[in-house]
Amino acid sequence: MKTAKQFLAALLAALLTFSLTACNKGGGEVDIPANQTASEDFQKNMHQSLVRNIAYACETDEGIYFQWEAYVYYLEKASKKVTVLCGKPDCVHWGDDCNARLQARGLWVYDGRLYYSNRNYVEENGAYVNRGNRIYSVKPDGTDRRVVQALDFVPGGNTETSRTDPILHRGVTYFTYSGVLYALPLGGNIEDAERIWGEESEDPGMFFNTTAPHYTLWADGDTIYFMVNVGQPAGTDKDTLYCFNAAAKEVEEIWKTPDADEVGQWETTGVSVSQWYVMGGYIYFYLSGNDFWRASLETGETEKLADTHEKTEYGNAVFSDDYLCLLNDTPRTAATVGYDDLTGYTGGDTLYIYGLDGGFVKELSLKSLYEEYENLNHIQLAFCSGDDVYFLANATAYGQSGNAENGWTGGGQAVRNEILCCVNIKTEEITQIYNWVL
């Protein structure tokens, strides 16, 4: 689920990658299997990331593809080793000609290939011009790049390119154009796209359209879901969930963010939930400053699953089909935050694992990472795959000016140091997978 801050961060990430240089330390390169098996359903657990630099990921039975900044990497699940998705001899993996530089806005595995969406930028008269959003595909090793389909009816004419990420589910692409949601079989002609819901925006702005709605797209089984922040008669906004029945060609409003009189107060009371997950006819949701809940999408009945505030009052969470993984990070109190972290949170040294029935599973300590990295300031959750919870440990060292008492020492020269890690829920083992230093 992407917030407005995360969309701004994604744009900043794309801009930063034009000028950054980096070195990294990994756990050893691996050979990427030429043929990999994966579910062709929307991978719910891989669309949870709270990390700006790792916004997109997908998995196969053997490994995980993820994008850090503009570059895609492959992580072998068994060994926890990572390789950049580029096999060019002598490539430094930091430039426009690197195979791994996909600048994806979504990653999916389908029919033996890796798919992603991207704006097609070309340089004209010293400026980069968007010639249209497209779906591309590559072989599992990053070679053989192909254009699959267009996502713009008018090339470069989409008025909200940074607001809604497309998804791929069972061979169909779901995407928005100028505020309207469409469906199109993968590889199809854009003119054959099926209009699902929404009114076309009149705002000509390319990146920050103020009138086009922000969708979060989702799928579970035969149903497509989308969450939209909708204005209410009282003048407030409220995240509202809709479902699309492809067989009946019908869209139905099925859930709204609850009010305080139903579930109590939390950080964004009555507007949006902190994190949500749709599965099996329920929406599961965590409320930072409150607890863990679910609501039936058929009856509307809401029930509390766990008093998570007994473990941590605030936090951030990711879901899978088996777990709620809750980190005890806390809201920042400083007026400014670093460009590397726009979540508004800081710290976090313990994970609390719950089953989706609300039962408490166990507590996982991450304190050893703070002992190893003196500049570690925030742990950010990425996704949960099987029994492994993946996260980014941000040990960026900032200059000494700023409000250090409130957890921010912004100003001066920043040295970014980000470590991709995972912790296994059953063994409690923490693995440091990959390290970026800029």
Side-chain angles (χ1 to χ4, degrees), residues 46 60 65 67 73 80 85 113 122 126 130 134 136 142 145 156 161-162 164 229 242 248 306 372 380 382 390 408 422:
M46 306 304 286
T60 68
Y65 292 91
Q67 180 170 272
Y73 296 77
K80 298 297 187 290
L85 199 67
R113 293 177 67 88
V122 295
N130 181 11
R134 298 176 177 177
Y136 297 81
R145 189 176 305 191
T161 57
S162 62
T164 298
N229 197 253
Y242 297 82
E372 182 172 351
Q380 299 163 281
Y390 291 83
W408 165 249
C422 83

Side-chain angles (χ1 to χ4, degrees), residues 22-195:
C23 62
N24 57 65
K25 294 181 289 183
E29 293 191 353
V30 296
D31 292 329
I32 303 173
N35 298 298
Q36 299 197 54
T37 56
S39 170
E40 295 181 348
D41 280 12
F42 173 76
Q43 295 180 354
K44 299 185 290 290
N45 62 309
M46 306 304 286
H47 287 73
Q48 300 273 305
S49 181
L50 302 172
V51 185
R52 174 184 70 82
N53 296 334
I54 306 177
Y56 306 110
C58 63
E59 66 179 336
T60 68
D61 292 347
E62 299 84 5
I64 294 172
Y65 292 91
F66 68 92
Q67 180 170 272
W68 183 88
E69 295 287 12
Y71 295 83
V72 173
Y73 296 77
Y74 176 78
L75 188 161
E76 186 180 69
K77 290 181 181 179
S79 67
K80 298 297 187 290
K81 293 181 179 180
V82 168
T83 186
V84 65
L85 199 67
C86 176
K88 286 184 178 181
D90 304 319
C91 183
V92 296
H93 310 310
W94 202 259
D96 291 341
D97 59 346
C98 176
N99 280 349
R101 186 182 173 89
L102 302 186
Q103 291 188 293
R105 294 183 58 240
L107 287 172
W108 318 281
V109 174
Y110 181 79
D111 197 24
R113 293 177 67 88
L114 180 67
Y115 289 80
Y116 64 98
S117 69
N118 189 5
R119 305 181 191 98
N120 178 33
Y121 279 103
V122 295
E123 189 173 359
E124 294 181 359
N125 301 320
Y128 283 94
V129 179
N130 181 11
R131 289 305 182 193
N133 298 326
R134 298 176 177 177
I135 298 289
Y136 297 81
S137 77
V138 293
K139 288 183 178 179
D141 63 358
T143 61
D144 189 30
R145 189 176 305 191
R146 304 175 186 174
V147 175
V148 177
Q149 70 185 61
L151 295 181
D152 283 5
F153 291 91
V154 177
N158 196 345
T159 59
E160 32 75 59
T161 57
S162 62
R163 290 180 66 81
T164 298
D165 295 326
I167 65 170
L168 178 63
H169 178 62
R170 297 182 176 178
V172 178
T173 305
Y174 296 88
F175 66 99
T176 61
Y177 181 88
S178 294
V180 178
L181 177 62
Y182 293 90
L184 179 65
L186 187 63
N189 188 309
I190 185 69
E191 299 301 327
D192 296 327
E194 175 187 0
R195 186 177 186 136

Side-chain angles (χ1 to χ4, degrees), residues 183-294:
L184 179 65
L186 187 63
N189 188 309
I190 185 69
E191 299 301 327
D192 296 327
E194 175 187 0
R195 186 177 186 136
I196 294 177
W197 189 85
E199 297 297 329
E200 189 164 338
S201 169
E202 297 179 357
D203 191 329
M206 183 59 69
F207 291 112
F208 299 109
N209 187 319
T210 57
T211 61
H214 157 231
Y215 296 75
T216 299
L217 305 182
W218 198 263
D220 183 46
D222 295 327
T223 306
I224 303 301
Y225 299 90
F226 52 98
M227 188 79 81
V228 183
N229 197 253
V230 177
Q232 303 300 302
T236 59
D237 292 326
K238 190 181 290 289
D239 268 5
T240 304
L241 186 68
Y242 297 82
C243 71
F244 170 61
N245 183 315
K249 308 295 183 183
E250 295 178 346
V251 171
E252 180 183 3
E253 178 187 312
I254 55 173
W255 181 84
K256 285 184 179 180
T257 298
D259 292 318
D261 59 1
E262 183 177 3
V263 299
Q265 299 284 337
W266 71 98
E267 281 194 284
T268 54
T269 299
V271 176
S272 63
V273 299
S274 305
Q275 194 79 333
W276 56 268
Y277 196 85
V278 172
M279 185 181 71
Y282 289 90
I283 180 169
Y284 297 83
F285 55 97
Y286 167 69
L287 305 176
S288 181
N290 192 300
D291 293 304
F292 174 29
W293 303 75
R294 79 172 181 180

